[in-house]
Amino acid sequence: MLQIMEGSHAVAEAAKLCRPEVVSAYPITPQTHIVERLAEMVADGELDAEYMCVESELSALSVCLGASATGSRVYSATSSQGLMLMAEVVFNVAGMRQPIVMSIVNRALGAPLSIWNDQQDSISLRDSGWFQLYGEDVQEMTDQHFIAYKAAEQHDVLLPGFVCFDGFILSHTYEPVDIPTQEEIDAFLPPYVPYNKLDAKAPLSMGMYATPDYYMEFRYETDQAMKRAGDAISAAGREFGEMFGRDYSAHTESYRMDDADVAFVALGSICGTVKDAIDEMRADGIKAGLVKIRTFRPFPAEEIAQALAGVPKVAVLEKNISVGSAMKGAVGPEVKDAVTGTGIDVYSYVIGLGGRDIRKKDIRAVAALAEKGVGNMFYGLRTEVL
Amino acid sequence: MTAAELIATAAFKSGVYSQAFPAFGVERRGAPVQAFVRFSDEKVRLRSQIYEPDYIVVQDSSLIADVDVFSGLKEGGIALVNTENDSVEGVPDGVRLITIDATSLALEILGLPITNTTLMGAFAAATGEIELEALEEALRERFSGSLAEKNVAAARCAYELVREEQ
């Protein structure tokens, strides 16, 4: 049943329904309402979990790592600078193959200080070994939490995952969302069965040091597991669709791509604005379409290549900047790589950094630039302040 | 933001899709803030801020001197302004101005100068976009006990006042 709810609160409900046994978070800026609500749920006895309030994000994810290593299902949420402070542990969680799910409320990184949205935080950790899902609206980001746990905990995966969604634009927006019941989620997501765990009666070590004779193989195995994570996300997304009518078996979603002359590729909430802009453009005779990326890690190159087949111009909308890179955005080169040899022109457009509002007219302007072959640039710079 | 949230909730309960979000800045009571609401028969996908509103609600008329609150307001649109005066400066041609002394009403009924609910009642009456019953339901969900009833009374009172004026 649809009900109207703030994005952060919908995610807190989703996290609760996943029955985490340990939740740890740093509760101060740049935190969101998610962990505030979870803390209330634990205090009110609605959620039977250990809620550990700590003094920094570094500690929060360290607690999560330790708790997960004992065989518990673990949840955390962070954002922006908080994720950066966690970065060391982010890699350790992946290396120790702990299937933690963490909500990333996408926000810009300082300096200069910005509290507003872009996706620099999670994109900057793309190489860590966590899978990354991006939601377009409150419904999708809510559902992705169930899928993330299901995929992460498969014994042939055992990788952690980020569920990413745009700060403020989704986290602070009230809109209708269908929250499943506990019974439904219990049927979809069984209790976590660890592959191995810290146990005093059967001691083992995790995260020991690896000499040059072994280190590469660990990273190789992580990469192999990430490939399997793609299949597990797809399978969980299909099963979710069968149970709830919202299918997430694909890592991408194509919108009006038939006969498109120009295609956008984007992640997150911007996709809604792009869809509305595409409807207007189509009405004006401009054949535009969208390929929305839901799963950014593992990167669904084949799916993207299929979706873009035959489209002459592709505009990748990037809420990140890989400073010093040729295409400017981090997603563009991967899209370009996916369509190598097809003759498709792929351009990146850095847009909406630090909360700069993105309007339908901006999307139309980007399409016009792509059609002219102008790209790999910042869009919408205020040249008067440069 | 509470007002926007309440409009969106009441609109949703009136049977349409809705979306409410703040102009993401510093959310602090007393600081000038903006919030936006969209509603539609279809799912709302657009995420940009609203530049050409059909309606604006000004909770504090002293802002009008500092901020162009009427910017982009559509011809035939409605400006609902909380003020003790009957007239407001700078209202563009073609815009219907509705004034209400929501602060006095809130002080009288709630005992606090918080105008969200009185203005929501006035908004429902002025625009016809949300039903009073849906607004009351939204208020009873948002607040509990006697506070909910006081807010419902405030909304109803403002609703009737604006209805009579029309």
Side-chain angles (χ1 to χ4, degrees), chain B residues 25-39:
Chain B
V26 183
E27 283 189 64
R28 193 178 70 235
R29 188 175 288 171
V33 293
Q34 281 185 85
F36 306 99
V37 185
R38 288 190 173 96
F39 32 84

Side-chain angles (χ1 to χ4, degrees), chain A residues 152-265:
Chain A
E153 293 174 357
Q154 300 300 314
H155 283 188
D156 64 345
V157 176
L158 292 176
L159 283 180
F162 289 164
V163 179
C164 308
F165 47 92
D166 288 316
F168 295 107
I169 297 172
L170 293 175
S171 63
H172 286 56
T173 288
Y174 283 76
E175 65 181 30
V177 56
D178 185 358
I179 305 283
T181 65
Q182 187 67 66
E183 291 69 32
E184 286 170 333
I185 292 304
D186 286 347
F188 175 75
L189 181 67
Y192 172 40
V193 180
Y195 175 74
N196 57 25
K197 61 178 180 179
L198 294 182
D199 181 351
K201 292 187 194 111
L204 59 83
S205 297
M206 293 181 187
M208 298 300 286
Y209 94 136
T211 62
D213 291 337
Y214 292 100
Y215 184 87
M216 267 182 74
E217 283 69 22
F218 272 89
R219 287 298 267 173
Y220 171 80
E221 293 280 13
T222 305
D223 187 55
Q224 290 293 300
M226 185 60 81
K227 223 170 139 183
R228 296 190 293 270
D231 297 334
I233 291 162
S234 191
R238 182 172 298 109
E239 192 185 332
F240 190 87
E242 284 160 7
M243 287 182 70
F244 300 97
R246 296 183 294 275
D247 185 274
Y248 298 103
S249 57
H251 298 300
T252 62
E253 177 195 312
S254 291
Y255 183 75
R256 303 193 77 171
M257 281 297 292
D258 295 340
D259 74 357
D261 290 329
V262 57
F264 298 98
V265 174

Side-chain angles (χ1 to χ4, degrees), chain B residues 114-153:
Chain B
I114 299 175
T115 58
N116 294 320
T117 46
T118 38
L119 282 170
M120 291 315 92
F123 179 84
T127 66
E129 295 280 5
I130 51 179
E131 292 158 15
L132 184 62
E133 295 73 36
L135 179 58
E136 290 181 2
E137 206 186 319
L139 289 169
R140 290 200 172 94
E141 264 178 31
R142 184 69 162 71
F143 305 102
S144 55
S146 63
L147 190 59
E149 293 318 308
K150 276 184 187 173
N151 276 289
V152 166

Side-chain angles (χ1 to χ4, degrees), chain A residues 2-4 115-116 137 168-170 172-176 255 269 272-273 275-276 279 357-360, chain B residues 1 5 8-9 12 16-22 24-27 43-49 51 142:
Chain A
L2 282 177
Q3 53 187 310
I4 194 158
I115 62 166
W116 290 273
D137 54 27
F168 295 107
I169 297 172
L170 293 175
H172 286 56
T173 288
Y174 283 76
E175 65 181 30
Y255 183 75
S269 67
T273 302
K275 287 173 181 173
D276 274 16
D279 287 356
D357 200 27
I358 300 167
R359 303 171 66 176
K360 283 185 285 186
Chain B
M1 183 56 204
E5 175 199 328
T9 305
F12 173 70
V16 297
Y17 284 92
S18 60
Q19 173 200 64
F21 57 100
F24 318 115
V26 183
E27 283 189 64
K43 188 178 161 184
V44 180
R45 300 185 300 200
L46 190 61
R47 299 287 170 188
S48 54
Q49 295 184 6
Y51 297 88
R142 184 69 162 71

Side-chain angles (χ1 to χ4, degrees), chain A residues 48-345:
Chain A
D48 182 18
E50 188 83 26
Y51 185 95
M52 294 185 69
C53 222
V54 289
E55 80 289 359
S56 76
E57 285 88 354
L58 183 74
S59 298
L61 194 56
S62 298
V63 164
C64 290
L65 173 57
S68 181
T70 67
S72 303
R73 183 174 287 161
V74 176
Y75 174 81
S76 190
T78 192
S79 181
S80 178
Q81 311 299 136
L83 181 59
M84 290 301 104
L85 190 53
M86 286 179 176
E88 178 190 333
V89 192
V90 165
F91 278 77
N92 273 307
V93 170
M96 289 191 228
R97 307 288 299 275
Q98 296 302 321
I100 295 169
V101 170
M102 183 155 65
S103 304
I104 307 297
V105 184
N106 287 122
R107 283 159 64 167
L109 297 177
L113 178 65
S114 166
I115 62 166
W116 290 273
N117 163 250
D118 63 35
Q119 296 167 345
Q120 192 72 54
D121 47 4
S122 55
I123 298 273
S124 295
L125 287 171
R126 66 184 180 177
D127 302 333
S128 59
W130 291 55
F131 62 79
Q132 295 197 7
L133 309 180
Y134 288 79
E136 175 190 330
D137 54 27
V138 172
Q139 186 70 64
E140 192 168 66
M141 75 206 210
T142 300
D143 292 344
Q144 281 171 329
H145 287 80
F146 311 122
I147 290 160
Y149 272 111
K150 181 118 181 174
E153 293 174 357
Q154 300 300 314
H155 283 188
D156 64 345
V157 176
L158 292 176
L159 283 180
F162 289 164
V163 179
C164 308
F165 47 92
D166 288 316
F168 295 107
I169 297 172
L170 293 175
S171 63
H172 286 56
T173 288
Y174 283 76
E175 65 181 30
V177 56
D178 185 358
I179 305 283
T181 65
Q182 187 67 66
E183 291 69 32
E184 286 170 333
I185 292 304
D186 286 347
F188 175 75
L189 181 67
Y192 172 40
V193 180
Y195 175 74
N196 57 25
K197 61 178 180 179
L198 294 182
D199 181 351
K201 292 187 194 111
L204 59 83
S205 297
M206 293 181 187
M208 298 300 286
Y209 94 136
T211 62
D213 291 337
Y214 292 100
Y215 184 87
M216 267 182 74
E217 283 69 22
F218 272 89
R219 287 298 267 173
Y220 171 80
E221 293 280 13
T222 305
D223 187 55
Q224 290 293 300
M226 185 60 81
K227 223 170 139 183
R228 296 190 293 270
D231 297 334
I233 291 162
S234 191
R238 182 172 298 109
E239 192 185 332
F240 190 87
E242 284 160 7
M243 287 182 70
F244 300 97
R246 296 183 294 275
D247 185 274
Y248 298 103
S249 57
H251 298 300
T252 62
E253 177 195 312
S254 291
Y255 183 75
R256 303 193 77 171
M257 281 297 292
D258 295 340
D259 74 357
D261 290 329
V262 57
F264 298 98
V265 174
L267 299 81
S269 67
I270 189 177
C271 292
T273 302
V274 171
K275 287 173 181 173
D276 274 16
I278 286 171
D279 287 356
E280 281 187 11
M281 290 164 78
R282 288 259 175 186
D284 293 343
I286 303 163
K287 290 181 189 166
L290 165 71
V291 178
K292 175 175 91 178
I293 297 178
R294 263 196 217 111
T295 309
F296 175 59
R297 278 291 178 275
F299 192 73
E302 278 177 32
E303 214 178 291
I304 287 172
Q306 278 172 15
L308 294 176
V311 181
K313 305 280 185 191
V314 174
V316 184
L317 302 168
E318 311 251 18
K319 283 194 180 180
N320 74 84
I321 161 83
S322 180
V323 177
S325 76
M327 287 185 75
K328 306 249 184 288
V331 183
E334 303 204 32
V335 174
K336 192 169 178 172
D337 180 54
V339 298
T340 301
T342 61
I344 298 174
D345 291 325

